Amino acid sequence: MALGTTTMTNDTILKVEHLSMKFGGLMAINDLSLEARRGEITALIGPNGAGKTTVFNCITGFYKPTMGMLTLQRRDGKEFLLERLRDFEIPKLAGVARTFQNIRLFSGLTVLENLLVAQHNALMKASGYTLLGLLGFPTYRRAVDASIEKAKYWLDKADLTDRADDPAGDLPYGAQRRLEIARAMCTGPELLCLDEPAAGLNPRESAALNTLLHQIRDEGVSILLIEHDMSVVMQISDHVVVLEYGQKISDGSPDHVKNDPRVIAAYLGVEDDEVEEVIAVELEGGNH
Amino acid sequence: MTAATETGHPSVLAKAVREGIFAGVISFLMFLLFVGIETYQDINNALVWRTRWGLLAIFVLVAAVGRFLTVGFIKPHLDQRKLAKAKSGVLEISESKSFFHRHFLKIALIFLLVYPFLSLLIVGKQGSLKYVDNFGIQILIYVMLAWGLNIVVGLAGLLDLGYVAFYAVGAYSYALLSSYFGFSFWLLLPMSGILAALWGVILGFPVLRLRGDYLAIVTLAFGEIIRLVLINWTDVTKGTFGISGIAKASFFGIWSFDTGSASSFVKAWGLSPSSVYYKIFLFYIILALCMLTAYVTIQLRRMPIGRAWEALREDEIACRSLGINTVTTKLTAFATGAMFGGFAGAFFATRQGFVSPESFVFLESAVILAIVVLGGMGSLTGIAIAAMVMVGGTEVLREMSFLKVVFGPDFTPELYRMLLFGLAMIIVMLFKPRGFVGSREPTAFLKERRAVSGSFTKEGHG
Ligand SMILES: Nc1ncnc2c1ncn2[C@@H]1O[C@H](COP(=O)(O)OP(=O)(O)OP(=O)(O)O)[C@@H](O)[C@H]1O
Ligand SMILES: [Mg+2]
């Protein structure tokens, strides 16, 4: 919980400074700095292999970054250096929850059980690390009721109430994506990291997802979002960071990013020298 | 069409004959060298061979006739039943569960409670020694061990090939502490469990970082290490001689089961001396221990820790992303399983009155694991049934001396118990790849409790 070198203003929830991640000879992330503001949806976009998932894995402790500092500030002002925490401490102490690019549900547990497992730490404490729970203490009973209420709340938000008693592996793909988000929300996070939540969804499911994300943001939870689909990003995000080959090539509002020639070049697959040309042309256009 | 299949359609019969002959030819070729020819040493110690055409004929006939009956009669019959089921609709079948099916557990428990007296009534004192001890107690020990291992393998998904180590720790804890310090069974029973759990934690700490195959191999190695320590630490454990004369359990300190003791149970109740009373007492102890294991397992599954175990089996990375400390979660599963192994070990020691490293070989671990897998990982009922079939089957084999008539006087049926295991494994894995009871009961529900089909649950990788 050491304080960072630069103090954070209260509206910044996550600050990534000079993050680098090396896999053998491959620089998957190269000196990346970015900020996510509290209560906003920050999108992280970029072509395949740009290093987006690697950034997530560094933030959530699954990879130890080669270099750099990741500072998370909670609402109460406590700061955590994420690179110093172990993976399970990050959701527990720092309040960061995540989903995975290839869905990771507990497929043999029911939908409801998935949401209860997410509340493990709270329930564990309430059950006196199992002992009081086995004796059936009333405090534990109350905690169980509360946890089911919380699960119901998110089941409702994710439109999964009808399927609560079905095994998670039995849900259709779109519902599994929503369940994974609901499960992450049941940990009570302040920052929610979503890795391509809209991948493979049909337009209707995609729209439902957008609504769900807005609801989550309106509850005061900040969202960090990886997304390929530009239209989704432009619709829902407040702030966009563009990554290419592990480096940040653009950062700003959706409109700003959309018109950034380097972003257009990255997405259209233009060579570097051609980017210079595009910029030159734009500048010329400006001069006229 | 229906009538035709019932009586055996001519084309079906022809097919059955064809397949039967084919199976006969194949089995003839297969068994010709294995069964048809036997090698032995004559008086001059030279290796010579003789033929066993009669035995070969039996093998071939069983294969041919079996295939003929399967293709000609059993399969059409099964197909027809499936058809009838499909016609009558799926819902009806689940509604029409028989009384026995619905109350299976209660009936089983009541049967177990009266079992010793039933056997006393039917076969008398001398006869029931066998039924209470060899069948009852022996099976229940394995039920308890398998239920204990089930916590580690079935719930937490940690493949432990050295479970017998904890059984050994429990047994030797009781044997040593009782013979050196003279503590009573009722004090040492919990102590053995706690010591075994402690060992579980000590072994678990370095081991549980590993996953999947590596974990399996290292647990296997630890199991062997414990056995080797028991063999070689002769000052304390008396090595391969083992520890004998281990004290019997007393009736909660009130009556003793030692003959000639002042407070003898037999004298107190005015019964004629017989060891059967002690066996019956032991039967109830192990039954109570089994019930304790089952109760704790059921309760723990509903606790956050039990749910975390199952989540761990399903997906460890997702667990960590939800803030679950997977190391301590694995350790608690390991320790809880070890504790029940320790209880069973202490019981084993007091029942045998003798422990030696012989009883704790790898094969025991394999048998216990096989029972868990056959029964259906995670399912208490399935595992109990598997233990009954496997361990009871071994004992039944011992009784089958009439097989000597078929296979010759040298035939010792109980040596073929591994064959029984293999056969049961193949059959269960063919028809029920998830074990005898493959589905899992959810631990919480909103509207209705529906069993989760085994096709969704995972076996775990660590
Ligand atoms: N554990 C790892 N070991 C070695 N290389 C890795 C590892 N994880 C990621 N990489 C490499 O790092 C680079 C960035 O991968 P990453 O998964 O972060 O990309 P991404 O932006 O999420 O791509 P996508 O859009 O396809 O999901 C890729 O070249 C990848 O091969
Ligand atoms: Mg990715």
Side-chain angles (χ1 to χ4, degrees), chain B residues 330-373:
Chain B
K330 284 179 181 181
L331 269 182
T332 51
F334 221 59
T336 314
M339 182 181 73
F340 290 118
F343 286 155
F347 177 82
F348 174 80
T350 192
R351 173 223 188 190
Q352 300 292 89
F354 169 73
V355 289
S356 82
E358 284 284 285
S359 312
F360 309 106
V361 290
F362 168 66
L363 192 63
E364 289 297 308
S365 291
V367 166
I368 300 165
L369 185 65
I371 290 172
V372 175
V373 173

mmCIF file of all heavy atoms in Angstrom, chain B residues 330-373:
data_model
loop_
_atom_site.group_PDB
_atom_site.id
_atom_site.type_symbol
_atom_site.label_atom_id
_atom_site.label_comp_id
_atom_site.label_asym_id
_atom_site.label_seq_id
_atom_site.Cartn_x
_atom_site.Cartn_y
_atom_site.Cartn_z
ATOM 1 N N LYS B 330 -6.706 -25.254 -1.413
ATOM 2 C CA LYS B 330 -6.232 -26.616 -1.697
ATOM 3 C C LYS B 330 -5.761 -27.289 -0.419
ATOM 4 O O LYS B 330 -6.033 -28.467 -0.188
ATOM 5 C CB LYS B 330 -5.068 -26.570 -2.683
ATOM 6 C CG LYS B 330 -5.458 -26.308 -4.113
ATOM 7 C CD LYS B 330 -4.185 -26.268 -4.951
ATOM 8 C CE LYS B 330 -4.496 -25.974 -6.396
ATOM 9 N NZ LYS B 330 -3.252 -25.962 -7.183
ATOM 10 N N LEU B 331 -5.053 -26.502 0.406
ATOM 11 C CA LEU B 331 -4.520 -27.084 1.644
ATOM 12 C C LEU B 331 -5.643 -27.580 2.545
ATOM 13 O O LEU B 331 -5.534 -28.660 3.135
ATOM 14 C CB LEU B 331 -3.690 -26.049 2.397
ATOM 15 C CG LEU B 331 -2.211 -26.012 2.071
ATOM 16 C CD1 LEU B 331 -1.523 -24.974 2.927
ATOM 17 C CD2 LEU B 331 -1.565 -27.368 2.273
ATOM 18 N N THR B 332 -6.719 -26.812 2.656
ATOM 19 C CA THR B 332 -7.809 -27.259 3.529
ATOM 20 C C THR B 332 -8.428 -28.543 2.991
ATOM 21 O O THR B 332 -8.765 -29.441 3.762
ATOM 22 C CB THR B 332 -8.903 -26.190 3.662
ATOM 23 O OG1 THR B 332 -9.272 -25.764 2.358
ATOM 24 C CG2 THR B 332 -8.454 -25.025 4.485
ATOM 25 N N ALA B 333 -8.555 -28.635 1.659
ATOM 26 C CA ALA B 333 -9.103 -29.868 1.083
ATOM 27 C C ALA B 333 -8.179 -31.036 1.396
ATOM 28 O O ALA B 333 -8.625 -32.110 1.823
ATOM 29 C CB ALA B 333 -9.267 -29.723 -0.425
ATOM 30 N N PHE B 334 -6.898 -30.826 1.207
ATOM 31 C CA PHE B 334 -5.912 -31.856 1.448
ATOM 32 C C PHE B 334 -5.939 -32.289 2.912
ATOM 33 O O PHE B 334 -5.934 -33.485 3.221
ATOM 34 C CB PHE B 334 -4.533 -31.282 1.102
ATOM 35 C CG PHE B 334 -3.637 -32.235 0.376
ATOM 36 C CD1 PHE B 334 -4.020 -32.781 -0.836
ATOM 37 C CD2 PHE B 334 -2.406 -32.578 0.898
ATOM 38 C CE1 PHE B 334 -3.197 -33.654 -1.510
ATOM 39 C CE2 PHE B 334 -1.573 -33.455 0.231
ATOM 40 C CZ PHE B 334 -1.964 -33.986 -0.974
ATOM 41 N N ALA B 335 -5.997 -31.308 3.798
ATOM 42 C CA ALA B 335 -5.964 -31.611 5.229
ATOM 43 C C ALA B 335 -7.245 -32.309 5.670
ATOM 44 O O ALA B 335 -7.201 -33.256 6.464
ATOM 45 C CB ALA B 335 -5.759 -30.332 6.022
ATOM 46 N N THR B 336 -8.390 -31.861 5.151
ATOM 47 C CA THR B 336 -9.647 -32.491 5.543
ATOM 48 C C THR B 336 -9.681 -33.948 5.083
ATOM 49 O O THR B 336 -10.050 -34.852 5.848
ATOM 50 C CB THR B 336 -10.848 -31.731 4.942
ATOM 51 O OG1 THR B 336 -10.650 -30.340 5.160
ATOM 52 C CG2 THR B 336 -12.139 -32.165 5.573
ATOM 53 N N GLY B 337 -9.276 -34.162 3.825
ATOM 54 C CA GLY B 337 -9.216 -35.535 3.325
ATOM 55 C C GLY B 337 -8.267 -36.374 4.164
ATOM 56 O O GLY B 337 -8.583 -37.505 4.541
ATOM 57 N N ALA B 338 -7.105 -35.796 4.479
ATOM 58 C CA ALA B 338 -6.103 -36.524 5.257
ATOM 59 C C ALA B 338 -6.647 -36.876 6.634
ATOM 60 O O ALA B 338 -6.394 -37.966 7.152
ATOM 61 C CB ALA B 338 -4.840 -35.684 5.389
ATOM 62 N N MET B 339 -7.417 -35.959 7.219
ATOM 63 C CA MET B 339 -7.949 -36.209 8.554
ATOM 64 C C MET B 339 -8.829 -37.460 8.557
ATOM 65 O O MET B 339 -8.694 -38.312 9.434
ATOM 66 C CB MET B 339 -8.742 -34.998 9.015
ATOM 67 C CG MET B 339 -9.296 -35.122 10.405
ATOM 68 S SD MET B 339 -10.238 -33.662 10.849
ATOM 69 C CE MET B 339 -11.705 -33.881 9.867
ATOM 70 N N PHE B 340 -9.692 -37.582 7.566
ATOM 71 C CA PHE B 340 -10.550 -38.766 7.528
ATOM 72 C C PHE B 340 -9.724 -40.020 7.263
ATOM 73 O O PHE B 340 -10.034 -41.092 7.795
ATOM 74 C CB PHE B 340 -11.667 -38.587 6.505
ATOM 75 C CG PHE B 340 -12.677 -37.580 6.945
ATOM 76 C CD1 PHE B 340 -12.899 -36.421 6.230
ATOM 77 C CD2 PHE B 340 -13.388 -37.781 8.120
ATOM 78 C CE1 PHE B 340 -13.813 -35.478 6.655
ATOM 79 C CE2 PHE B 340 -14.306 -36.845 8.556
ATOM 80 C CZ PHE B 340 -14.515 -35.695 7.816
ATOM 81 N N GLY B 341 -8.681 -39.882 6.447
ATOM 82 C CA GLY B 341 -7.766 -41.005 6.259
ATOM 83 C C GLY B 341 -7.144 -41.410 7.587
ATOM 84 O O GLY B 341 -6.997 -42.601 7.892
ATOM 85 N N GLY B 342 -6.800 -40.409 8.417
ATOM 86 C CA GLY B 342 -6.209 -40.677 9.722
ATOM 87 C C GLY B 342 -7.174 -41.387 10.651
ATOM 88 O O GLY B 342 -6.806 -42.348 11.334
ATOM 89 N N PHE B 343 -8.442 -40.937 10.664
ATOM 90 C CA PHE B 343 -9.466 -41.623 11.471
ATOM 91 C C PHE B 343 -9.542 -43.092 11.056
ATOM 92 O O PHE B 343 -9.547 -43.993 11.892
ATOM 93 C CB PHE B 343 -10.845 -40.994 11.255
ATOM 94 C CG PHE B 343 -11.025 -39.667 11.923
ATOM 95 C CD1 PHE B 343 -11.944 -38.748 11.437
ATOM 96 C CD2 PHE B 343 -10.294 -39.336 13.059
ATOM 97 C CE1 PHE B 343 -12.127 -37.529 12.051
ATOM 98 C CE2 PHE B 343 -10.474 -38.116 13.677
ATOM 99 C CZ PHE B 343 -11.390 -37.209 13.161
ATOM 100 N N ALA B 344 -9.637 -43.293 9.747
ATOM 101 C CA ALA B 344 -9.775 -44.661 9.234
ATOM 102 C C ALA B 344 -8.554 -45.485 9.627
ATOM 103 O O ALA B 344 -8.678 -46.663 9.982
ATOM 104 C CB ALA B 344 -9.948 -44.648 7.720
ATOM 105 N N GLY B 345 -7.384 -44.842 9.594
ATOM 106 C CA GLY B 345 -6.159 -45.555 9.952
ATOM 107 C C GLY B 345 -6.182 -45.995 11.408
ATOM 108 O O GLY B 345 -5.847 -47.144 11.734
ATOM 109 N N ALA B 346 -6.588 -45.092 12.300
ATOM 110 C CA ALA B 346 -6.653 -45.439 13.722
ATOM 111 C C ALA B 346 -7.625 -46.590 13.936
ATOM 112 O O ALA B 346 -7.358 -47.528 14.696
ATOM 113 C CB ALA B 346 -7.087 -44.228 14.532
ATOM 114 N N PHE B 347 -8.733 -46.526 13.240
ATOM 115 C CA PHE B 347 -9.706 -47.613 13.360
ATOM 116 C C PHE B 347 -9.121 -48.922 12.874
ATOM 117 O O PHE B 347 -9.268 -49.967 13.511
ATOM 118 C CB PHE B 347 -10.975 -47.283 12.574
ATOM 119 C CG PHE B 347 -11.972 -48.391 12.608
ATOM 120 C CD1 PHE B 347 -12.819 -48.540 13.685
ATOM 121 C CD2 PHE B 347 -12.032 -49.324 11.582
ATOM 122 C CE1 PHE B 347 -13.709 -49.586 13.739
ATOM 123 C CE2 PHE B 347 -12.915 -50.372 11.628
ATOM 124 C CZ PHE B 347 -13.760 -50.503 12.717
ATOM 125 N N PHE B 348 -8.434 -48.829 11.716
ATOM 126 C CA PHE B 348 -7.811 -50.029 11.143
ATOM 127 C C PHE B 348 -6.861 -50.666 12.145
ATOM 128 O O PHE B 348 -6.867 -51.887 12.337
ATOM 129 C CB PHE B 348 -7.070 -49.621 9.870
ATOM 130 C CG PHE B 348 -6.256 -50.714 9.251
ATOM 131 C CD1 PHE B 348 -6.857 -51.691 8.474
ATOM 132 C CD2 PHE B 348 -4.883 -50.754 9.421
ATOM 133 C CE1 PHE B 348 -6.118 -52.689 7.896
ATOM 134 C CE2 PHE B 348 -4.128 -51.760 8.836
ATOM 135 C CZ PHE B 348 -4.752 -52.732 8.076
ATOM 136 N N ALA B 349 -6.051 -49.819 12.819
ATOM 137 C CA ALA B 349 -5.059 -50.336 13.767
ATOM 138 C C ALA B 349 -5.738 -51.064 14.922
ATOM 139 O O ALA B 349 -5.321 -52.147 15.315
ATOM 140 C CB ALA B 349 -4.188 -49.205 14.284
ATOM 141 N N THR B 350 -6.804 -50.474 15.443
ATOM 142 C CA THR B 350 -7.444 -51.106 16.598
ATOM 143 C C THR B 350 -8.194 -52.364 16.183
ATOM 144 O O THR B 350 -8.314 -53.321 16.939
ATOM 145 C CB THR B 350 -8.365 -50.120 17.335
ATOM 146 O OG1 THR B 350 -8.719 -50.686 18.581
ATOM 147 C CG2 THR B 350 -9.615 -49.839 16.578
ATOM 148 N N ARG B 351 -8.689 -52.378 14.967
ATOM 149 C CA ARG B 351 -9.418 -53.556 14.505
ATOM 150 C C ARG B 351 -8.464 -54.723 14.260
ATOM 151 O O ARG B 351 -8.733 -55.848 14.657
ATOM 152 C CB ARG B 351 -10.169 -53.211 13.224
ATOM 153 C CG ARG B 351 -10.815 -54.404 12.575
ATOM 154 C CD ARG B 351 -10.607 -54.366 11.092
ATOM 155 N NE ARG B 351 -11.360 -55.383 10.394
ATOM 156 C CZ ARG B 351 -11.180 -55.659 9.123
ATOM 157 N NH1 ARG B 351 -10.296 -54.976 8.428
ATOM 158 N NH2 ARG B 351 -11.869 -56.595 8.534
ATOM 159 N N GLN B 352 -7.311 -54.424 13.585
ATOM 160 C CA GLN B 352 -6.375 -55.501 13.284
ATOM 161 C C GLN B 352 -5.600 -55.936 14.516
ATOM 162 O O GLN B 352 -5.198 -57.077 14.623
ATOM 163 C CB GLN B 352 -5.346 -55.051 12.240
ATOM 164 C CG GLN B 352 -5.887 -54.629 10.906
ATOM 165 C CD GLN B 352 -6.493 -55.765 10.126
ATOM 166 O OE1 GLN B 352 -7.672 -56.031 10.278
ATOM 167 N NE2 GLN B 352 -5.718 -56.448 9.315
ATOM 168 N N GLY B 353 -5.325 -54.962 15.409
ATOM 169 C CA GLY B 353 -4.437 -55.239 16.530
ATOM 170 C C GLY B 353 -2.994 -55.329 16.082
ATOM 171 O O GLY B 353 -2.104 -55.668 16.860
ATOM 172 N N PHE B 354 -2.737 -55.031 14.828
ATOM 173 C CA PHE B 354 -1.402 -55.205 14.269
ATOM 174 C C PHE B 354 -1.276 -54.295 13.056
ATOM 175 O O PHE B 354 -2.173 -54.245 12.219
ATOM 176 C CB PHE B 354 -1.232 -56.672 13.843
ATOM 177 C CG PHE B 354 -0.014 -56.922 13.016
ATOM 178 C CD1 PHE B 354 1.249 -56.901 13.589
ATOM 179 C CD2 PHE B 354 -0.125 -57.172 11.648
ATOM 180 C CE1 PHE B 354 2.367 -57.124 12.818
ATOM 181 C CE2 PHE B 354 0.997 -57.401 10.878
ATOM 182 C CZ PHE B 354 2.243 -57.375 11.462
ATOM 183 N N VAL B 355 -0.196 -53.522 12.996
ATOM 184 C CA VAL B 355 0.037 -52.750 11.769
ATOM 185 C C VAL B 355 1.449 -53.025 11.270
ATOM 186 O O VAL B 355 2.374 -53.198 12.062
ATOM 187 C CB VAL B 355 -0.126 -51.230 11.968
ATOM 188 C CG1 VAL B 355 -1.562 -50.848 12.173
ATOM 189 C CG2 VAL B 355 0.744 -50.721 13.094
ATOM 190 N N SER B 356 1.598 -53.077 9.972
ATOM 191 C CA SER B 356 2.921 -53.181 9.369
ATOM 192 C C SER B 356 2.890 -52.427 8.046
ATOM 193 O O SER B 356 1.811 -52.194 7.489
ATOM 194 C CB SER B 356 3.304 -54.636 9.145
ATOM 195 O OG SER B 356 2.729 -55.093 7.951
ATOM 196 N N PRO B 357 4.053 -52.042 7.543
ATOM 197 C CA PRO B 357 4.080 -51.243 6.314
ATOM 198 C C PRO B 357 3.414 -51.964 5.140
ATOM 199 O O PRO B 357 2.975 -51.323 4.189
ATOM 200 C CB PRO B 357 5.574 -51.051 6.049
ATOM 201 C CG PRO B 357 6.222 -51.222 7.369
ATOM 202 C CD PRO B 357 5.400 -52.220 8.109
ATOM 203 N N GLU B 358 3.310 -53.283 5.224
ATOM 204 C CA GLU B 358 2.661 -54.085 4.183
ATOM 205 C C GLU B 358 1.268 -53.568 3.818
ATOM 206 O O GLU B 358 0.835 -53.701 2.683
ATOM 207 C CB GLU B 358 2.485 -55.521 4.693
ATOM 208 C CG GLU B 358 3.727 -56.341 4.698
ATOM 209 C CD GLU B 358 4.076 -56.788 3.299
ATOM 210 O OE1 GLU B 358 3.404 -57.704 2.813
ATOM 211 O OE2 GLU B 358 5.006 -56.199 2.715
ATOM 212 N N SER B 359 0.568 -53.039 4.831
ATOM 213 C CA SER B 359 -0.821 -52.647 4.604
ATOM 214 C C SER B 359 -0.948 -51.330 3.857
ATOM 215 O O SER B 359 -2.045 -50.948 3.484
ATOM 216 C CB SER B 359 -1.550 -52.510 5.939
ATOM 217 O OG SER B 359 -1.311 -53.618 6.736
ATOM 218 N N PHE B 360 0.177 -50.637 3.661
ATOM 219 C CA PHE B 360 0.052 -49.283 3.125
ATOM 220 C C PHE B 360 0.827 -49.127 1.823
ATOM 221 O O PHE B 360 1.544 -48.162 1.620
ATOM 222 C CB PHE B 360 0.509 -48.261 4.165
ATOM 223 C CG PHE B 360 -0.169 -48.480 5.490
ATOM 224 C CD1 PHE B 360 0.512 -49.022 6.566
ATOM 225 C CD2 PHE B 360 -1.511 -48.183 5.633
ATOM 226 C CE1 PHE B 360 -0.122 -49.249 7.766
ATOM 227 C CE2 PHE B 360 -2.158 -48.404 6.830
ATOM 228 C CZ PHE B 360 -1.471 -48.941 7.908
ATOM 229 N N VAL B 361 0.666 -50.108 0.956
ATOM 230 C CA VAL B 361 1.367 -50.058 -0.326
ATOM 231 C C VAL B 361 0.568 -49.222 -1.327
ATOM 232 O O VAL B 361 -0.597 -48.907 -1.098
ATOM 233 C CB VAL B 361 1.579 -51.475 -0.889
ATOM 234 C CG1 VAL B 361 2.603 -52.202 -0.058
ATOM 235 C CG2 VAL B 361 0.271 -52.223 -0.944
ATOM 236 N N PHE B 362 1.224 -48.913 -2.426
ATOM 237 C CA PHE B 362 0.594 -48.064 -3.444
ATOM 238 C C PHE B 362 -0.725 -48.650 -3.945
ATOM 239 O O PHE B 362 -1.659 -47.919 -4.253
ATOM 240 C CB PHE B 362 1.554 -47.847 -4.615
ATOM 241 C CG PHE B 362 0.873 -47.235 -5.808
ATOM 242 C CD1 PHE B 362 0.376 -45.945 -5.736
ATOM 243 C CD2 PHE B 362 0.699 -47.951 -6.975
ATOM 244 C CE1 PHE B 362 -0.279 -45.377 -6.815
ATOM 245 C CE2 PHE B 362 0.041 -47.395 -8.059
ATOM 246 C CZ PHE B 362 -0.437 -46.115 -7.978
ATOM 247 N N LEU B 363 -0.757 -49.991 -3.993
ATOM 248 C CA LEU B 363 -1.976 -50.628 -4.502
ATOM 249 C C LEU B 363 -3.214 -50.172 -3.736
ATOM 250 O O LEU B 363 -4.284 -50.005 -4.312
ATOM 251 C CB LEU B 363 -1.829 -52.145 -4.413
ATOM 252 C CG LEU B 363 -2.896 -52.928 -5.164
ATOM 253 C CD1 LEU B 363 -2.819 -52.651 -6.649
ATOM 254 C CD2 LEU B 363 -2.737 -54.414 -4.902
ATOM 255 N N GLU B 364 -3.067 -49.949 -2.425
ATOM 256 C CA GLU B 364 -4.203 -49.485 -1.618
ATOM 257 C C GLU B 364 -4.684 -48.127 -2.123
ATOM 258 O O GLU B 364 -5.877 -47.908 -2.297
ATOM 259 C CB GLU B 364 -3.807 -49.369 -0.144
ATOM 260 C CG GLU B 364 -3.609 -50.687 0.549
ATOM 261 C CD GLU B 364 -4.886 -51.511 0.598
ATOM 262 O OE1 GLU B 364 -5.910 -50.978 1.035
ATOM 263 O OE2 GLU B 364 -4.849 -52.676 0.163
ATOM 264 N N SER B 365 -3.726 -47.222 -2.347
ATOM 265 C CA SER B 365 -4.095 -45.905 -2.887
ATOM 266 C C SER B 365 -4.842 -46.068 -4.194
ATOM 267 O O SER B 365 -5.858 -45.405 -4.433
ATOM 268 C CB SER B 365 -2.851 -45.054 -3.152
ATOM 269 O OG SER B 365 -2.244 -44.673 -1.967
ATOM 270 N N ALA B 366 -4.335 -46.962 -5.034
ATOM 271 C CA ALA B 366 -4.946 -47.150 -6.351
ATOM 272 C C ALA B 366 -6.365 -47.690 -6.210
ATOM 273 O O ALA B 366 -7.270 -47.234 -6.908
ATOM 274 C CB ALA B 366 -4.090 -48.094 -7.185
ATOM 275 N N VAL B 367 -6.547 -48.625 -5.277
ATOM 276 C CA VAL B 367 -7.881 -49.197 -5.087
ATOM 277 C C VAL B 367 -8.849 -48.123 -4.603
ATOM 278 O O VAL B 367 -9.968 -47.998 -5.108
ATOM 279 C CB VAL B 367 -7.821 -50.372 -4.084
ATOM 280 C CG1 VAL B 367 -9.214 -50.748 -3.613
ATOM 281 C CG2 VAL B 367 -7.146 -51.570 -4.729
ATOM 282 N N ILE B 368 -8.398 -47.319 -3.629
ATOM 283 C CA ILE B 368 -9.283 -46.269 -3.104
ATOM 284 C C ILE B 368 -9.636 -45.275 -4.204
ATOM 285 O O ILE B 368 -10.796 -44.883 -4.371
ATOM 286 C CB ILE B 368 -8.608 -45.547 -1.917
ATOM 287 C CG1 ILE B 368 -8.299 -46.547 -0.805
ATOM 288 C CG2 ILE B 368 -9.503 -44.451 -1.375
ATOM 289 C CD1 ILE B 368 -7.324 -46.012 0.218
ATOM 290 N N LEU B 369 -8.633 -44.903 -4.992
ATOM 291 C CA LEU B 369 -8.889 -43.971 -6.079
ATOM 292 C C LEU B 369 -9.844 -44.585 -7.096
ATOM 293 O O LEU B 369 -10.758 -43.913 -7.592
ATOM 294 C CB LEU B 369 -7.571 -43.580 -6.757
ATOM 295 C CG LEU B 369 -7.696 -42.521 -7.846
ATOM 296 C CD1 LEU B 369 -8.143 -41.206 -7.243
ATOM 297 C CD2 LEU B 369 -6.384 -42.334 -8.578
ATOM 298 N N ALA B 370 -9.640 -45.888 -7.388
ATOM 299 C CA ALA B 370 -10.518 -46.558 -8.352
ATOM 300 C C ALA B 370 -11.957 -46.526 -7.862
ATOM 301 O O ALA B 370 -12.881 -46.315 -8.643
ATOM 302 C CB ALA B 370 -10.061 -47.998 -8.560
ATOM 303 N N ILE B 371 -12.140 -46.709 -6.548
ATOM 304 C CA ILE B 371 -13.497 -46.667 -5.993
ATOM 305 C C ILE B 371 -14.112 -45.288 -6.193
ATOM 306 O O ILE B 371 -15.264 -45.157 -6.607
ATOM 307 C CB ILE B 371 -13.476 -47.060 -4.498
ATOM 308 C CG1 ILE B 371 -13.149 -48.539 -4.355
ATOM 309 C CG2 ILE B 371 -14.803 -46.740 -3.835
ATOM 310 C CD1 ILE B 371 -12.907 -48.984 -2.940
ATOM 311 N N VAL B 372 -13.311 -44.250 -5.944
ATOM 312 C CA VAL B 372 -13.830 -42.883 -6.106
ATOM 313 C C VAL B 372 -14.217 -42.634 -7.563
ATOM 314 O O VAL B 372 -15.280 -42.094 -7.860
ATOM 315 C CB VAL B 372 -12.783 -41.845 -5.647
ATOM 316 C CG1 VAL B 372 -13.265 -40.435 -5.937
ATOM 317 C CG2 VAL B 372 -12.516 -42.001 -4.166
ATOM 318 N N VAL B 373 -13.351 -43.057 -8.475
ATOM 319 C CA VAL B 373 -13.618 -42.798 -9.894
ATOM 320 C C VAL B 373 -14.817 -43.610 -10.368
ATOM 321 O O VAL B 373 -15.683 -43.098 -11.082
ATOM 322 C CB VAL B 373 -12.370 -43.128 -10.731
ATOM 323 C CG1 VAL B 373 -12.675 -43.039 -12.204
ATOM 324 C CG2 VAL B 373 -11.246 -42.181 -10.368
#
